[in-house]
């Protein structure tokens, strides 16, 4: 699939261009891969178009069993339950968080919130850093005051800074406040929405109204996880670069209700079991079935393709929907 980079409010995109062999614009920091999701408030921006000219969203809805498998289709219909992005932060992103399934169902008429995970595949600069979760418990009134006064320094200082390198993964449960620092390049898995509650909107968004999803901050801030994470960051951050096997699980069981990701190291051939999947090739070249792939290739695989052989000499990230037995049903 070609790059799919809807315009964003922040800078970036050079690392995406370097991986994929294309050109970069100042505000193309996200490549939405195999996307059936639109930007918040937009009707079509962000959607992936297949080589035959059909929107992936429409193709999946027309044949959910073929694309997603019988069990997934029985639970989600024509909903992939997954969005994959390449994200290259050309500047620090604002402090923000995302609603949970329950909050989204109650306030946004959607079964999905936005739990996400980051797989760090590249960094630049002397101190590539992400910020994840409050260090200590923070009262609701304090968060509301920071947002009302746009106290950027207080918000950023309250978060846990984590210096990252390729191979690190960060699991970001819904509600946990976070920011990605300049120079961090990730493959991001997330639930298929574009819901963000932007605590630090000044200097990033046109106005505060965009930052609270139309709910008002008095309601939107109820989704913020205000607990302290400083003593349990190991629940969120993992280092996987030293792990080398044909398939390396990158996120662990906590992510299973939302998505799955593994890093594939292929030297010869590797059999992929039937599944809807999104592949991002990071290094090398080879074939997926009869399809030639190489560094920078992004591929969407329908369940109906059956067992496929991935052959050659390459490294790829495979992203898949949630483990169905772990999914909690939440009805809007």
């Amino acid at each position: 699939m070609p790059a799919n980079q809807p315009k964003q409010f922040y800078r970036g995109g050079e690392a995406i261009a370097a991986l994929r062999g294309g050109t970069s614009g100042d505000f193309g920091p996200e490549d939405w891969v195999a996307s059936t999701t639109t930007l918040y408030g937009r009707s079509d921006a962000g959607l992936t178009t297949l080589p035959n000219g059909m929107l992936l969203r429409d193709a999946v809805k027309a044949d959910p069993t073929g694309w997603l498998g019988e069990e997934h289709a029985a639970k989600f219909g024509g909903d992939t339950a997954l969005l994959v992005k390449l994200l290259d932060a050309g500047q620090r992103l604002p402090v923000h968080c995302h609603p949970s399934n329950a909050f989204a169902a109650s306030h946004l008429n959607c079964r999905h919130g936005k739990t996400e995970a980051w797989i760090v595949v590249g960094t630049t600069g002397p101190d590539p850093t992400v910020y994840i979760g409050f260090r200590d418990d923070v009262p609701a009134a304090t968060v509301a005051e920071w947002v009302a006064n746009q106290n950027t320094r207080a918000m950023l200082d309250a978060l846990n800074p984590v210096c990252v390198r390729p191979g690190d993964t960060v699991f970001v449960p819904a509600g946990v406040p976070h920011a990605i620092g300049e120079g961090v390049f990730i493959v991001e898995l997330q639930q298929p929405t574009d819901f963000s509650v932007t605590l630090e909107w000044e200097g990033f968004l046109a106005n505060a109204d965009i930052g609270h999803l139309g709910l008002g901050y008095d309601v939107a801030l109820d989704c913020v996880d205000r607990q302290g994470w400083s003593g349990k960051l190991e629940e969120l951050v993992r280092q996987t670069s030293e792990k080398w096997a044909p398939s390396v699980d990158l996120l662990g069981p906590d992510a299973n209700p939302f998505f799955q990701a593994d890093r594939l190291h292929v030297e010869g051939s590797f059999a992929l079991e039937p599944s809807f999947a999104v592949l991002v090739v990071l290094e090398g070249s080879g074939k997926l079935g009869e399809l030639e792939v190489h560094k920078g290739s992004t591929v969407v695989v329908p369940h109906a393709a059956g067992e496929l052989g991935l052959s050659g000499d390459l490294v790829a990230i495979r992203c898949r929907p949630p483990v169905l037995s772990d999914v909690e049903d939440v009805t809007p």
Side-chain angles (χ1 to χ4, degrees), residues 279-298:
L279 266 63
V280 179
V281 181
L282 301 179
E283 300 174 19
S285 62
K287 286 187 174 182
L288 176 65
E290 296 302 315
L291 178 68
E292 292 189 1
V293 296
H294 53 78
K295 177 181 176 179
S297 293
T298 56

Side-chain angles (χ1 to χ4, degrees), residues 206-276:
N207 56 65
D209 292 343
I210 301 172
H212 55 59
L213 299 172
L215 301 173
Y217 275 112
D218 55 334
V219 174
L221 292 181
D222 286 343
C223 82
V224 179
D225 179 346
R226 295 181 288 99
Q227 68 174 304
W229 283 90
S230 60
K232 49 184 180 178
L233 285 178
E234 69 279 357
E235 297 179 22
L236 306 180
V237 182
R238 307 173 71 182
Q239 169 52 229
T240 71
S241 64
E242 304 304 318
K243 298 181 179 179
W244 198 264
S247 174
V248 175
D249 177 20
L250 297 177
L251 302 177
D254 288 347
N256 285 347
F258 308 100
F259 33 67
Q260 307 167 72
D262 55 342
R263 187 173 60 243
L264 306 176
H265 306 103
V266 178
E267 297 175 343
S269 63
F270 183 78
L272 304 182
E273 63 269 35
S275 174
F276 176 82

